[in-house]
Amino acid sequence: MRAEPRRSLPAPVLERIVHTAFPDCHVLSIEPLGDGRRNANFKLQIDPAPEPVVLRIHEHDAALCQKEIDLMRLVGGLAPVPEVIHAEPHGWEDLPPFRMTRWIEGITFRDLKRSGDAEAIAQAAQAAGETLAAIGTLQFPKPGWLAPGPTVASPLLEGADPMPRFLDLCLASENLQARVPAELRDRIHASMWSKAQRLSGLDSEARLVHGDFNKRNVLVRHAGGRWGVAAILDWEFAVSGSPLADLATFLRYERTARPVAEPHFSVGYVRAGGRLPHDWRSLARIVDLAALCESLTHDRLPNDAIAEIVELLRATIEDRDPYLT
């Protein structure tokens, strides 16, 4: 399970952080932002600044602060991202790394989906697809884990068949084995390896992959008579690889019987220049098996989250819609 961030910090500490960027300002209000899972995020109103700022404190891995900053600067000309106004990527005195960005008005795609407004959801889904296609135009010399720069630090996994082998590493985890029945683990293993040759075609792709392109990290808003993407948040999991992983994440909860984001999302993706293989939807679900299994290797995970992930795994193996409320 991802480390739980602090949801509050003493006001004097926040004042110290703010003063690194705005020496003559004072914090008027502090609002914890609850969607971060590995870092602490706060919306701050600062006097005399006219607009709020977002403070992100990197509590999990110090190197990820610089990585996120570098990626947002790289992506900024192609897709909407928060504007960094101050950062201390190596920390400051006794404080961990942090950055401040301008506040962006909007709601998450997840919240828009909950509204049930079909037309708004369709417009935002198409815009999300177009944005993802733009992100995927950024290429690196080779696939792998991204480090500050951004540069490719190392392969995602050395050797042939990296995705099936990574899945097997997850399946061998004690945490996962305690959460997933043996019969389902065997079926997951068999399903992934049955697609090994097909998946090998993705191994050489070296495009920018957000790594957590879920509906919580896609901020949308209504402007100019249409719903569009306001910002793509949280870049710490970005890698160089196949964009199909991001498509899989975004459509993880999509149901064939009751589609919501589709076909608008994939139509927007293709219209903006993204390429999809003929079997992209089924292939994306197989790719997502690795991400789902990796989640089950974490030490701390709520029981309801475990049940949900196991159902998503079983639905993928049985080629059906998940039974989720």
Side-chain angles (χ1 to χ4, degrees), residues 2 11 19 46 79 85 90 92 114 143 146 178 189 220 234 256 316:
R2 297 175 183 176
H19 287 163
I46 301 171
I85 55 179
H90 304 294
W92 180 69
R114 289 171 175 170
L146 291 179
H189 166 86
V220 298
D234 293 1
T256 304
T316 300

Side-chain angles (χ1 to χ4, degrees), residues 117-323:
D117 186 334
E119 179 60 25
I121 295 168
Q123 292 176 8
Q126 181 173 324
E130 293 167 352
T131 301
L132 184 59
I135 292 170
T137 61
L138 291 170
Q139 299 189 57
F140 294 91
K142 57 186 177 181
W145 300 104
L146 291 179
T151 58
V152 179
S154 60
L156 297 175
L157 191 64
E158 291 277 9
D161 299 317
M163 197 174 302
R165 288 171 44 239
F166 175 76
L167 179 83
D168 282 351
L169 291 175
C170 295
L171 292 174
S173 159
E174 291 184 5
N175 285 338
L176 184 146
Q177 291 188 2
R179 295 161 173 168
V180 181
E183 56 85 16
L184 181 55
R185 298 199 305 268
D186 291 343
R187 294 173 70 188
I188 292 169
H189 166 86
S191 182
M192 177 66 86
W193 278 98
S194 72
K195 300 289 186 181
Q197 185 174 359
R198 182 71 185 87
L199 291 168
S200 66
L202 307 178
D203 294 344
S204 61
E205 291 193 56
R207 298 183 182 274
L208 178 59
V209 176
H210 179 274
D212 198 15
F213 200 81
N214 61 59
K215 297 177 176 66
R216 186 184 64 251
N217 286 331
V218 178
L219 199 66
V220 298
R221 67 183 170 205
H222 189 263
R226 188 173 181 84
W227 282 88
V229 174
I232 305 298
L233 309 176
D234 293 1
W235 288 85
E236 63 182 350
F237 297 106
V239 299
S240 171
S242 170
L244 200 60
D246 280 342
L247 279 102
T249 300
F250 192 82
L251 296 175
R252 180 174 291 164
Y253 296 92
E254 191 78 0
R255 303 182 188 185
T256 304
R258 288 186 293 162
V260 176
E262 278 293 286
H264 319 289
F265 178 65
S266 58
V267 166
Y269 183 78
V270 172
R271 283 181 179 174
R275 295 183 179 181
L276 294 175
H278 69 90
D279 58 345
W280 73 271
R281 190 67 187 94
S282 60
L283 191 60
R285 295 189 77 184
I286 294 297
V287 168
D288 203 35
L289 284 176
L292 291 170
C293 285
E294 192 277 333
S295 296
L296 291 172
T297 67
H298 299 167
D299 289 335
R300 292 183 296 167
L301 204 59
N303 289 334
D304 57 346
I306 294 171
E308 180 177 291
I309 296 170
V310 170
E311 169 56 19
L312 287 167
L313 289 169
R314 194 175 291 279
T316 300
I317 298 306
E318 296 174 358
D319 193 24
R320 59 168 174 80
D321 286 342
Y323 302 135

